[in-house]
């Protein structure tokens, strides 16, 4: 499924547009990076409240094309610049982690 | 293919650059035509070990060797060492600092993850430093088909 499903939904606010053709499949929600590292699968959308730069490192290593920050979290400019460099799409939403996962599931991710 | 040999320095608490060794190793494995699944296992092992050096040690080095038959990475840090290796190998046990935890680390899954993905793991530690060697055997099915 194309990342359009997120960019066209008003409940997700696109923070950057660095991966317009990204293909996403599946959801992984977690705030511990070792757990993400060990269990997330290629193509997953990562839902996390962690907004530091290491999340991008993990996403890049696992080929995760998109990160959704719940609770209106927006990462700093350094993180956004790094995401642009790595081609990882970032989104923010006012929903909680659980609500975000449910919505993504309803959208067919 | 020619063997790939690299040495990397890993700085204490350099969280911004944590993952560099894993990223460069992943790229080298891709160039050798290894499968996504094989690369993922190696990447997990290298990343976790690299993070351990960053968040737990006074800094150290990583030596990466890739040959036709194996990938071997040795990490050597400058201390302070693991007080109880048996406990450190238990899933969920962590001595991570609040700084590490704030950055998403310290779940106590590093060494258990490394053990789970690697074919061989050798861990020795004293107050002078920790030595970790992890090895992944390259087999016929480790390549992309």
């Amino acid at each position: 499924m194309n990342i359009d499903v997120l960019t066209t939904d008003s409940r997700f606010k696109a923070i950057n547009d660095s991966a317009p053709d990204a293909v996403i499949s599946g959801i992984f929600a977690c705030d511990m990076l070792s757990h993400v590292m060990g269990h997330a699968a290629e193509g997953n959308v990562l839902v996390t409240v962690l907004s530091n730069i290491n999340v991008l490192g993990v996403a890049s290593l696992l080929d995760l094309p998109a990160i959704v920050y719940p609770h209106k979290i927006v990462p700093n400019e350094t993180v956004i610049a790094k995401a642009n460099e790595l081609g990882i799409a970032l989104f923010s939403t006012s929903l909680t982690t659980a609500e975000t996962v449910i919505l993504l599931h309803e959208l067919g991710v | 293919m020619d063997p790939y040999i690299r040495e990397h320095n890993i700085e204490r608490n350099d969280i911004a650059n944590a993952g560099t060794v894993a990223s460069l190793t992943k790229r080298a494995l891709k160039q050798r035509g290894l499968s996504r699944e094989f690369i993922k296992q190696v990447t997990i092992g290298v990343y976790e070990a690299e993070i351990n050096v960053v968040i737990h040690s006074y800094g150290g080095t990583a030596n990466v060797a890739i040959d036709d038959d194996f990938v071997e990475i040795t990490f050597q840090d400058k201390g302070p060492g693991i007080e109880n290796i048996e406990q450190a190998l238990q899933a969920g046990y962590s001595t991570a600092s609040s700084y590490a935890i704030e950055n998403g680390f310290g779940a106590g899954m590093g060494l258990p993850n490394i053990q789970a993905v690697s074919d061989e793991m050798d861990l020795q530690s004293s107050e002078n430093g920790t030595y970790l060697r992890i090895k992944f055997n390259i087999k016929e099915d480790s390549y992309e088909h």
Side-chain angles (χ1 to χ4, degrees), chain B residues 2-118:
Chain B
D2 290 340
Y4 171 96
I5 307 220
R6 294 288 185 281
E7 178 169 333
H8 305 275
N9 283 315
I10 305 173
E11 302 294 331
R12 177 187 196 182
N13 282 338
D14 186 12
I15 280 189
N17 287 309
T20 304
V21 180
S23 182
L24 293 171
T25 306
K26 178 184 173 185
R27 192 185 305 167
L29 293 171
K30 259 187 179 172
Q31 283 169 356
R32 296 173 91 89
L34 287 148
S35 71
R36 285 167 179 268
E37 189 49 41
F38 181 83
I39 292 172
K40 185 179 175 187
Q41 302 299 309
V42 177
T43 304
I44 290 170
V46 176
Y47 183 77
E48 295 288 8
E50 190 180 354
I51 292 296
N52 279 347
V53 177
V54 172
I55 68 173
H56 291 297
S57 87
Y58 302 140
T61 54
N63 281 281
V64 182
I66 308 172
D67 213 330
D68 290 338
D69 302 326
F70 65 87
V71 180
E72 188 174 65
I73 309 101
T74 53
F75 295 85
Q76 177 68 58
D77 70 41
K78 302 171 196 160
I82 301 169
E83 207 168 297
N84 187 329
I85 287 186
E86 206 177 307
Q87 264 185 331
L89 288 168
Q90 283 172 16
Y93 178 81
S94 176
T95 59
S97 64
S98 54
Y99 172 70
I101 291 167
E102 279 162 22
N103 282 283
F105 302 114
M109 293 308 296
L111 287 172
N113 275 354
I114 296 168
Q115 214 168 18
V117 295
S118 61

Side-chain angles (χ1 to χ4, degrees), chain A residues 57-86:
Chain A
V58 169
S60 171
L61 287 169
L62 294 175
D63 297 316
L64 309 181
I67 299 169
V68 179
Y69 301 102
H71 299 279
K72 296 183 188 167
I73 292 166
V74 177
N76 65 35
E77 288 301 324
T78 309
V79 171
I80 297 169
K82 187 72 180 174
N84 291 339
E85 181 193 321
L86 295 170

Side-chain angles (χ1 to χ4, degrees), chain A residues 3 6 12-16 18-19 22 24 28 30-31 33 36 43-60 63-70 73 75 79 82-83 86-93 100 104:
Chain A
I3 194 102
L6 272 80
F12 296 109
K13 181 179 174 294
I15 298 169
N16 64 357
S18 62
I24 53 175
F28 197 85
C30 188
D31 301 321
L33 289 176
V36 177
N44 283 175
V45 174
L46 177 63
V47 182
T48 183
V49 298
L50 281 176
S51 58
N52 63 56
I53 203 150
N54 303 101
V55 180
L56 294 175
V58 169
S60 171
D63 297 316
L64 309 181
I67 299 169
V68 179
Y69 301 102
I73 292 166
V79 171
K82 187 72 180 174
L86 295 170
I88 296 171
L90 306 180
F91 296 89
S92 185
T93 175
T100 304
L104 287 168

